[in-house]
Amino acid sequence: MSKKLLAGSIILSFLAIACSDSNDDFDENEYTQQNFEINNDESELESVLSRNGAGVLSISSITASNRASLSRQAVEDEDPQVSDIALEQIATVDPPVVDGTTLRASHVKIDGNYAYVTYMMEGEAYLGGIDIINITDKTNPFVESRVTSDIVDFTSAYFNNGRLYFASAVNTDELLNLEYRANIGYVSVSEGNFLQDFQLKPIEGNVAVDIAGFNDRIIGVSGATGVLGLYDAASLETIQEQTIPDLRSIAYGDNKIAVLSGSEGLAMYNPNDLSVLNNISTPNLASESKRTIAFKDQAILVSEGNNGVGIYDSNSGNALQQLDIQILPEAEYDDADVVTNAVSIAGDFILMANGGAGFGIAKLDENNTLVEEGVVDLEGSSNYIQSDGEYIFVASGTGGLRIIKISQPEVNENFAECESYDVYTGRSNLNVNSNEVLAYRGSTTLKNLNVGGDFTFCGSINIQNGANINSQGEFNMRGAMAVGTYGRNHDLNINSGSVLRIEGSLTVYGNLNLNSGATLEFVGENSSIHVFGTVRQNSGSTVVGTYNDTSNKLQ
């Protein structure tokens, strides 16, 4: 394995980094480095976040039941079935540039209102960075603090109790007191800002590739001839270490530590003493490749390169399911680029970063049986993915980090009347004719919506291209609705004599056009609207009800 797999960085001046010859004792006055910089400049950091491409994401559904027919018809079928999930890309974050080199996102840890993103430079250079992204407001995420370094790669992160712990590779030609290039460490974080108390601890190996934790312990692993170790979270003192070759990833769940080795497969360890609970045979992994694992209840999921995702029982070690990489039939890819680099969980959905094949979605039932598959339409390669069930972060090489929101409206008593409606499973172009009365529920993404009759929807509905409430049409929406793409002519049009009645949230990435005689009505006390484009409110149109206009664009 090469010097490293991943990296990250943080911005500081006159930062003390301390490590004694003993791996377990630190003296912050022993070594002082000026090769770290912390940047909290709001105006400068604002420029690294872009709205380009923000908006409703297209999801091509490839369910087990219709996969064969779709493969034959996809090129000419412009109206595929919808997928049972609604996604919005809300921003893209440009990676840091250090010494003229653009870094790559290596890992994301989401904790509460913040996402911690590590960056690296593959190869022999030691260049890295870390971002703290404030995700409190889905319409306005922003980078609150950024660190960069020209001597440390940050490969993974874990947050607990006010500290951001990280795995890293360090240029020991610069930090001569460090015994190994592989290091774990921490820095304190307060209200979205880094504090200047970085601490490093060498562990055997050339690069620490992953880090996790539980209770008052930190779990760290280093690659190649490295170790799996348990460390005290307060002091980073070594509790116990095991030598394991070719380590790639770790995960903690179901009171187990799962460890993935590229050459020895998957193993479950007792978190108290690192004794082996069981070994699970998995395909050998390509050398120097990033792979991740994730728990889903008692199952453990493994990204297995061109084999897709393997799902195993963490107790018995039995193989439960294999999720192949799904490719849209009309797409053209280089086979060498079609690999599952990472896997993550978002509720009932399994998210797959499939390299050149993009971002894949699979849904399993309670018996881990495949019930749905889909491909999200994202430009560029998908090299890493991480979700907390509300947000999804997808890294695309040097092309930046995409922040994606999963639309999940709160279900309250007002939704009880919707329980009798069928879940919408139809086509992605939905037309409600003037003589029709239709009502559905669920989470769905449409290409286009035209309402001329009476239409009710409960749950989450995203419309990628545009939505028209035509003359005399009535659309009753309870839940979350999003329309369009930022910077494109993907508008929400409410025409003369028509009504859009909404209880919940409405996000318009294009323009909102209220023609004369149109009515936009908000129901309840907690409804909201955010319009990224222009609001064109013609004379004679009406906006009624109680609502929070977070974009301040309605009259």
Side-chain angles (χ1 to χ4, degrees), residues 283-285 304-310 322-325 338-340 352:
N284 287 342
L285 303 178
E304 297 179 344
N306 54 18
N307 291 313
V309 169
Q322 189 72 34
L323 303 180
D324 295 331
I325 300 173
V338 179
V339 292
T340 301
M352 304 163 62

Side-chain angles (χ1 to χ4, degrees), residues 80-277:
Q81 288 184 311
V82 299
S83 180
D84 187 22
I85 190 171
L87 304 176
E88 302 164 49
Q89 179 173 309
I90 57 178
T92 301
V93 178
D94 293 332
V97 178
V98 180
D99 291 347
T101 301
T102 301
L103 305 183
R104 297 191 177 193
S106 54
H107 188 86
V108 179
K109 176 61 180 178
I110 306 168
D111 188 273
N113 292 328
Y114 296 96
Y116 304 90
V117 185
T118 59
Y119 297 91
M120 64 166 287
M121 176 59 194
E122 295 175 347
E124 297 305 315
Y126 291 82
L127 306 172
I130 303 176
D131 283 341
I132 300 179
I133 303 176
N134 190 316
I135 53 176
T136 305
D137 180 0
K138 80 160 192 173
T139 64
N140 185 37
F142 59 94
V143 179
E144 194 151 319
S145 189
R146 168 172 282 186
V147 173
T148 55
S149 174
D150 60 1
I151 61 170
V152 178
D153 289 331
F154 297 92
T155 64
S156 183
Y158 167 73
F159 186 85
N160 185 51
N161 197 27
R163 281 183 176 177
L164 182 67
Y165 296 86
F166 53 81
S168 65
V170 179
N171 186 349
T172 53
D173 294 336
E174 295 288 338
L175 296 182
L176 299 176
N177 63 321
L178 297 181
E179 183 179 359
Y180 301 111
R181 296 183 186 273
N183 278 255
I184 61 171
Y186 66 76
V187 60
S188 297
V189 174
S190 177
E191 297 181 347
N193 290 287
F194 294 108
L195 303 183
Q196 298 184 9
D197 65 344
F198 281 83
Q199 194 69 274
L200 293 173
K201 172 192 176 61
I203 62 176
E204 184 178 355
N206 287 326
V207 54
V209 295
D210 206 357
I211 193 166
F214 64 97
N215 300 333
D216 59 352
R217 295 189 176 187
I218 297 298
I219 315 165
V221 292
S222 55
T225 57
V227 297
L228 160 68
L230 281 179
Y231 307 96
D232 180 81
S235 64
L236 294 185
E237 289 185 1
T238 301
I239 297 173
Q240 193 163 357
E241 290 182 331
Q242 296 269 18
T243 300
I244 304 172
D246 197 15
L247 291 172
R248 305 297 179 88
S249 183
I250 54 175
Y252 177 79
D254 196 32
N255 199 32
K256 305 180 187 71
I257 298 174
V259 180
L260 179 64
S261 165
S263 58
E264 298 195 352
L266 190 64
M268 300 295 153
Y269 288 82
N270 186 317
N272 298 314
D273 57 11
L274 294 188
S275 59
V276 178
L277 299 174

Side-chain angles (χ1 to χ4, degrees), residues 286-470:
S287 62
E288 304 182 16
S289 59
K290 173 69 175 177
R291 299 290 183 260
T292 70
I293 54 181
F295 274 97
K296 185 179 186 293
D297 300 322
Q298 293 184 356
I300 183 75
L301 285 68
V302 183
S303 59
E304 297 179 344
N306 54 18
N307 291 313
V309 169
I311 304 176
Y312 305 88
D313 187 308
S314 64
N315 294 318
S316 68
N318 294 334
L320 301 176
Q321 179 75 261
Q322 189 72 34
L323 303 180
D324 295 331
I325 300 173
Q326 297 303 313
I327 299 176
L328 294 177
E330 69 272 24
E332 296 182 2
Y333 303 113
D334 184 341
D335 289 344
D337 294 334
V338 179
V339 292
T340 301
N341 296 305
V343 61
S344 187
I345 304 297
D348 294 330
F349 291 89
I350 296 171
L351 313 176
M352 304 163 62
N354 290 333
F359 162 20
I361 295 177
K363 185 177 181 181
L364 305 182
D365 63 15
E366 63 276 7
N367 298 315
N368 286 316
T369 300
L370 182 65
V371 295
E372 182 179 1
E373 293 177 294
V375 178
V376 180
D377 185 13
L378 287 181
E379 294 181 3
S381 178
S382 296
N383 297 334
Y384 179 80
I385 195 164
Q386 182 64 39
S387 175
D388 68 345
E390 182 177 9
Y391 286 92
I392 302 171
F393 286 77
V394 181
S396 180
T398 59
L401 183 78
R402 300 173 189 271
I403 306 176
I404 297 169
K405 182 75 169 59
I406 303 174
S407 184
Q408 295 177 321
E410 294 185 6
V411 177
N412 52 48
E413 293 180 359
N414 293 325
F415 278 72
E417 64 189 82
C418 301
E419 293 179 356
S420 62
Y421 300 157
D422 291 334
V423 173
Y424 184 72
T425 58
R427 297 292 183 176
S428 64
N429 288 311
L430 176 57
N431 294 298
V432 183
N433 297 320
S434 59
N435 59 345
E436 285 186 302
V437 177
L438 297 178
Y440 295 103
R441 61 184 173 92
S443 293
T444 192
T445 299
L446 304 176
K447 286 187 176 181
N448 299 282
L449 173 66
N450 290 287
V451 178
D454 187 323
F455 180 51
T456 300
F457 196 94
C458 298
S460 299
I461 189 167
N462 285 2
I463 302 100
Q464 183 184 13
N465 295 332
N468 297 297
I469 317 302
N470 297 319

